[in-house]
Amino acid sequence: MIGTITAMVAVTAVATPAGAAAAPAAPYTALTVDGNPFSWWHQGSRVFDQAGGAAFTVTPGAGDALNLRADQAGDAWTFRMAPPSGETWTAGTTYELTGVEGAEDFAFIDVAHNGATCTETPGYLSVSEATRDAGTDRLTSFAAYYVISCGSSRHDLFGEIRWNSTVGYAAAGTDTMSHDFGDRLVGGPAASRTITVRSMGSDPVEYGTARFDTPGAYSITADTCSGTTRAAGETCTVTVSVRPTKLGGEWNLLVLPDNTVVGERMVQLGVNGVDPRTVSVAPASLAFGDQYIAETGGTQSVTVTGTGDTPVTFGAATIGGTDASSFAVKADTCKGATLAKNQTCRVDVVAKAAGGGARSATLQLPNDSLTNPRTVPLTLNGVVGATGTYYPLTPARIMDTRTGNGAPKAKLGPNGTVNLQVTGRGGVPSAGVGAVVLNVTVAEPTASSYLTVYPAGRAKPTASSLNFGTGWVRSNSVTVAVGTGGKVAITNHAGSTQAIVDVVGYYASDNTPIMNGIGVGGQLQPVAPLRLFDSRSDWGSKLPAGDQVRLAVNYGPEANARMRAVVVNITAVSPSASGFLTAWNGEWPEPPTSTVNYATGSVTPNLAVVPVRRCYDCPWGAELPTFGVYTHKDSHVIVDIVGFIDDGGLANGLRFDPKTPTRIVDSRIGQGLPTNPGPAVIGTVTTPGSVVTDSTRALALNVTAVSPTASTYLKLWPNGVTGIDRPDVSNLNAAAGQTVANAAVTLIGPTDAFNVYNHSGTTGVVADVVGTYWLYPGTASGSAVSGDTSRSPYRLGELPTPDKGP
């Protein structure tokens, strides 16, 4: 419609010479454009009028439509306007606006600036003058002010429209829309900027009081505008100063109220507070990638360089954040250093993943600058490693002095030592082995004595691994760290004896098994000691010579599926003749090794780690893990379970840290226990702090009963743990006058203590620690993930209760 009308009427062009007076004269044809400084349309205060040399093209149309175009110095604005449908412009009326033509309740407006436009809603147009030609009924003069939003919640454009009007208008502008003071020293001298304000309309401009709503770092130091009235072309100034109070950007608005349509001048001001004590830190972050959980991993460094004119002094670097325990400061040359320009220091950070998955923390570099502390983000990804996990083997004989296997074909004499090669033999890998589990047997000893098994290349410790009397055939399970060259040393104390060694498994010293494709081994899952089998009560008869008993355990579907071996105490009771028991996974034929060597009529125990398998021909089905015990001669057999080895994936598994055998109990001299315990006496042993750490949960021991005055047995269990009381099963059986050793695994309580019970008579008690079991963060649950320091073992209610297989 507007286009058609425009073509039918004359076009009025208004041009004003550039050299016109500062104040335009009536009648006025002018356009002012002002706006919100946060609007993309706002480009500063603009006035198009005769005084500025603007050219206007104005086209009135039917229905009071009006098209106005203003051009000045290559800048063009076009306004198309029409009153609501069926109405005419009425002076003194304010109309709501829409960008849609022909609306009944809204006036129409379309604004274009150099071709750009917007939705022009919401907004309003307030008309102060509208006259018409009596013959054509077309507009001959028009005066109004407008407020337009471009579809936003704020007003984007303000201004005045005049055409052949007698109504004056006020307009003003500043010489800048914004000013950036740039980098300024915090606490340094102030910087100033004088802002010039010009009155640009036909009417004088009245100014209010200049202000900052929230001054902050800014202040007004000079002001010729506030409270004044300025005629067209006149100027005034406001001088602002800034003195940063903090680091970083500070933005503010200078506001000068006035009587224009906008109602105020706004100038955006910015400054960036900087510190003369500056340094650079490179790199800006440290990413360690995949790191094995609970192992000391890679080391990376950050270099700090002084870059400012004022030196910076540093304190000690620390690690902070949620996963701070997954990182540690390894070296810190910045501590106490004062760095002048171009001087450097370095901080080394080492990774030690405290759990699985993504871990993040912050290296904090405290200093006396305003950037305190300087921080460096740290990240890693914790992955499950193999260190400390167990790999069961089919038992294999790797030493027999009777045949010359692994050692000279001769008895071990007094103080005689054999350095036995264990790695690369019997299924033990050549590398990545931290400790081996051996079954050590003596035969034909000429005197009462003991063997000490320890890492080759180290001094022989004050410890015993297997105690025996003259003529005995005796075995004991020995867990020993691997020494120099992958060997273990075996020393005989007195007399001469044959020595036989079977290897039944090994513990990884590092992640070599993963790299070699073997994968992660198993973790110890301690359980409440339980008697699985006793032929005296379960059968009422002995296990016949040459036969085996197949036993099953049941700890629930998940544990059963993940079980790889059981940790059991196996006891031969009243055998009909000297012989041996062999424990293995039960698959015939049994291996040519022994687990328990017994004498006629004796009670002989031994701890064993026995692989399990699924039994497809067993009456209870294939879902339960099973193992077998074979006897050489008729004998009663007792099997007590104290734990099992999983596949490395069950929650709260324990891993092994081997140690050179360390004596922590010798009741004969008051070490660990004050005296030799008497009948039915319970003693408490507190593990020395040199042996355990915060993550230790259990001990691997060699326990010896020394010359008891009566046949007896010893029991071990954790001290101070609610619900775990003295177990019904024993760890060691000894006849009167004998000195007998047996391996044991016991949990420790919250104070690192365990209890020892002696049944009958009085006996000396000796205990040597051969390793510790620690809670692995990669599979720990609950508080253990973030570093549980209570060292409380499993509660009884948390321990699985097995069912005996038929």
Side-chain angles (χ1 to χ4, degrees), residues 150-489:
C150 292
S152 67
S153 59
R154 61 174 177 263
H155 294 146
D156 293 285
L157 291 180
F158 305 78
E160 301 274 9
I161 300 171
R162 298 291 186 271
W163 175 49
N164 291 335
S165 175
T166 60
V167 179
Y169 56 95
T174 56
D175 61 351
T176 183
M177 293 172 58
S178 64
H179 179 70
D180 187 352
F181 286 93
D183 293 342
R184 307 296 301 180
L185 295 180
V186 175
S192 299
R193 171 67 155 88
T194 297
I195 299 166
T196 300
V197 187
R198 180 179 296 276
S199 298
M200 299 186 295
S202 64
D203 295 347
V205 179
E206 300 172 2
Y207 295 107
T209 302
R211 71 178 189 278
F212 291 106
D213 288 336
T214 53
Y218 296 88
S219 63
I220 297 172
T221 56
D223 179 7
T224 64
C225 293
S226 295
T228 66
T229 299
R230 302 289 178 168
E234 292 184 342
T235 62
C236 61
T237 60
V238 177
T239 301
V240 296
S241 294
V242 64
R243 193 167 185 263
T245 59
K246 61 182 180 180
L247 291 178
E250 289 187 77
W251 292 92
N252 215 326
L253 281 177
L254 172 66
V255 180
L256 178 61
D258 62 26
N259 62 333
T260 65
V261 174
V262 179
E264 57 191 12
R265 305 293 102 202
M266 289 189 289
V267 178
Q268 190 176 41
L269 303 172
V271 68
N272 183 46
V274 298
D275 188 349
R277 295 162 296 184
T278 59
V279 296
S280 66
V281 179
S285 62
L286 299 180
F288 289 84
D290 289 345
Q291 297 288 321
Y292 289 113
I293 298 167
E295 298 184 33
T296 300
T299 299
Q300 296 189 45
S301 303
V302 294
T303 299
V304 184
T305 303
T307 57
D309 295 329
T310 302
V312 182
T313 300
F314 284 86
T318 60
I319 306 292
T322 304
D323 301 314
S325 59
S326 288
F327 306 86
V329 174
K330 185 177 181 181
D332 180 6
T333 66
C334 295
K335 180 181 178 181
T338 298
L339 300 185
K341 196 169 187 176
N342 297 324
Q343 291 183 327
T344 63
C345 62
R346 192 189 76 251
V347 177
D348 297 338
V349 178
V350 64
K352 190 172 183 179
R359 302 273 156 170
S360 61
T362 303
L363 172 65
Q364 298 177 336
L365 306 172
N367 60 85
D368 63 352
S369 77
L370 296 176
T371 309
N372 177 37
R374 287 298 296 263
T375 58
V376 179
L378 310 173
T379 59
L380 62 76
N381 182 53
V383 297
V384 173
T387 303
T389 59
Y390 182 73
Y391 298 80
L393 299 171
T394 299
R397 184 146 293 172
I398 59 173
M399 175 176 152
D400 191 337
T401 58
R402 299 170 302 180
T403 64
N405 175 16
K409 187 179 178 180
K411 286 185 175 182
L412 278 177
N415 293 316
T417 299
V418 169
N419 286 315
L420 173 63
Q421 183 71 45
V422 292
T423 59
R425 303 183 63 219
V428 180
S430 299
V433 178
V436 289
V437 180
L438 308 173
N439 200 59
V440 180
T441 305
V442 294
E444 306 169 14
T446 61
S448 294
S449 182
Y450 59 85
L451 299 183
T452 300
V453 185
Y454 55 100
R458 303 182 192 175
K460 184 174 81 70
T462 302
S464 61
S465 304
L466 172 58
N467 297 71
F468 49 86
T470 304
W472 284 15
V473 178
R474 188 80 184 195
S475 303
N476 196 22
S477 178
V478 177
T479 300
V480 57
V482 173
T484 303
K487 298 178 180 181
V488 298

Side-chain angles (χ1 to χ4, degrees), residues 15 24 46 53 81 118 146 161 179 339 442 465 471 517 554 587 589 597 612 644 684 712 776:
R46 301 300 307 275
M81 301 163 285
C118 76
Y146 61 90
I161 300 171
H179 179 70
L339 300 185
V442 294
S465 304
N554 181 10
E587 185 173 6
N597 292 80
V612 296
F644 65 86
T684 298
T712 189
Y776 182 61

Side-chain angles (χ1 to χ4, degrees), residues 73-105:
D75 194 21
W77 286 84
T78 300
F79 280 66
R80 294 193 303 133
M81 301 163 285
S85 179
E87 298 184 25
T88 58
W89 298 116
T90 302
T93 303
T94 298
Y95 299 88
E96 292 190 59
L97 296 176
T98 180
V100 179
E101 297 185 53
E104 291 185 358
D105 298 321

Side-chain angles (χ1 to χ4, degrees), residues 14-21 49-55 72:
V14 180
T16 304
D49 59 14
Q50 299 97 317
Q72 183 173 285

